[in-house]
Amino acid sequence: MNVERLHLRDYETAEELWSLQLAAYRVEAAAIGVADLPPLLDTIASLRGSGETFWGCRNEEGELVGAVSAKEAEGVVTICRVMVQPEYFRQGIGKRLLEHVLNLYADAGRFELSVERRNGPAIGLYRKLGFVPYGKIEPLPDISLVRMVKERGKQP
């Protein structure tokens, strides 16, 4: 599977991404016991207006099975979302997408992301890619995020 830039100006692409996000984050919401996880509240319009750059992977039938988004500002790349269709979990798609972003922004001084503390598989993947925890935030009473960072030039 190749990684491609997703252009959300195209409504069908934005709709595919929104459907993927709902499927992926519903599994996370069920796993951590939070019914109204913020990504589940997004709309096609909010995704299109997010200001994030999206990339995705498609299966052999052309279906979007994984996506990642990022924003860059002043040498810091924030990875905003990583999502994989549930039937494609544990097949390396998330890793491939993250590595694409890390390589694409190879000159960035720092990468940051946040992950729900109960999402062990995601935390494990981020650690393998060289991210380390550097703080926590609680945006909602039942959600606790671990902030993770990867400094330029530091390897896992």
Side-chain angles (χ1 to χ4, degrees):
M1 278 182 229
N2 293 326
V3 177
E4 65 182 52
R5 172 89 186 267
L6 299 176
H7 299 281
L8 301 190
R9 291 183 309 270
D10 176 69
Y11 189 83
E12 284 184 21
T13 301
E15 189 173 43
E16 279 184 295
L17 180 68
W18 177 71
S19 293
L20 168 63
Q21 179 165 303
L22 288 180
Y25 283 101
R26 279 184 183 136
V27 171
E28 181 173 356
I32 65 174
V34 178
D36 57 349
L37 200 62
L40 295 175
L41 306 176
D42 270 320
T43 63
I44 294 170
S46 66
L47 285 173
R48 293 174 97 186
S50 69
E52 299 165 29
T53 303
F54 290 86
W55 297 269
C57 285
R58 297 183 181 278
N59 65 13
E60 293 167 359
E61 291 79 35
E63 299 166 329
L64 187 63
V65 297
V68 64
S69 73
K71 286 184 178 183
E72 180 184 24
E74 299 177 16
V76 176
V77 175
T78 301
I79 297 170
C80 305
R81 309 165 201 256
V82 181
M83 56 191 110
V84 176
Q85 276 288 356
E87 59 268 25
Y88 287 85
F89 283 178
R90 307 254 195 241
Q91 294 184 27
I93 293 170
K95 181 180 180 196
R96 179 181 302 228
L97 289 162
L98 287 162
E99 287 174 337
H100 179 80
V101 171
L102 295 173
N103 290 330
L104 190 65
Y105 293 101
D107 292 336
R110 179 180 174 109
F111 294 89
E112 298 179 345
L113 56 82
S114 297
V115 58
E116 218 292 329
R117 69 172 172 79
R118 294 167 282 190
N119 189 339
I123 291 171
L125 172 60
Y126 302 146
R127 284 183 180 275
K128 285 180 187 174
L129 292 172
F131 286 85
V132 295
Y134 77 96
K136 294 180 183 177
I137 56 173
E138 292 188 13
L140 297 171
D142 53 351
I143 297 177
S144 179
L145 301 176
V146 176
R147 299 186 70 174
M148 299 184 81
V149 63
K150 177 179 173 66
E151 301 286 344
R152 181 177 182 215
K154 293 189 179 178
Q155 298 298 319

